[in-house]
Amino acid sequence: QVQLVESGGGLVQAGGSLRLSCTASGFDFVNYMWGWFRQAPGKEREGIACISWTGGSIFYVDSVKGRFTISRDNAKNTLYLQMNNLKPEDTAKYYCAADTGPFTDWSTFASDFSDWGQGTQVTVSS
C-alpha cells in the first residue's frame, strides 16, 4: 500500500526554523526523484525543492534558495526539508511527491503524481 506521511510542521515566529520529514512506504523510494511542494490558502500548489536519487542534483525555487535545504535518507525511505529564516509568506501546507526524473521545470515535476499524503501545516507569524 502506497503511503506518504509528512510531519514536522508547526507554528513558528518569523526568522525561526523547522525541519519537515516525509516517510514513504509502498514506494521504490530510492529510484525516484523526490520533492517538496506547498499550498497556501487560495493559491495553487507549487514545487519548491527536489532532489535526485543520489542527492547529486538539487533544485530550488528562487523564493526558498539559501533558506531551505532538501535532503534524503534512502535507507529510511525519508525525505527532509530544513527550513531556516522562515517568513510569513512561507505559511502553507507542505507535501512531498515523487517523480521519475530527470528534472526539467516545476510545471512538469511530479505532474502525474497522485499519491499525495495529508501534508503538514507550517504557519509563520510576523
Side-chain angles (χ1 to χ4, degrees):
Q1 182 180 357
V2 171
Q3 187 176 23
L4 294 177
V5 179
E6 298 97 344
S7 62
L11 173 63
V12 64
Q13 289 187 331
S17 298
L18 286 171
R19 188 192 194 207
L20 306 185
S21 298
C22 165
T23 300
S25 58
F27 278 97
D28 188 11
F29 184 89
V30 69
N31 286 321
Y32 285 89
M33 288 195 74
W34 284 88
W36 285 98
F37 289 72
R38 65 185 181 187
Q39 186 168 20
K43 295 187 177 181
E44 291 189 356
R45 185 162 52 203
E46 64 168 340
I48 59 171
C50 66
I51 184 169
S52 63
W53 73 275
T54 64
S57 295
I58 291 175
F59 303 91
Y60 298 101
V61 293
D62 288 346
S63 59
V64 307
K65 281 181 182 176
R67 300 188 299 122
F68 291 9
T69 302
I70 188 172
S71 62
R72 62 190 291 169
D73 185 335
N74 290 335
K76 295 182 179 180
N77 282 9
T78 301
L79 180 73
Y80 301 100
L81 186 68
Q82 177 66 44
M83 306 188 296
N84 297 329
N85 190 21
L86 283 159
K87 303 176 180 181
E89 51 264 42
D90 295 317
T91 295
K93 184 164 277 192
Y94 285 70
Y95 303 86
C96 59
D99 190 280
T100 54
F103 178 84
T104 53
D105 58 65
W106 288 110
S107 67
T108 58
F109 183 77
S111 59
D112 294 332
F113 191 76
S114 60
D115 296 305
W116 299 92
Q118 83 289 349
T120 186
Q121 179 67 38
V122 172
T123 303
V124 185
S125 63
S126 58

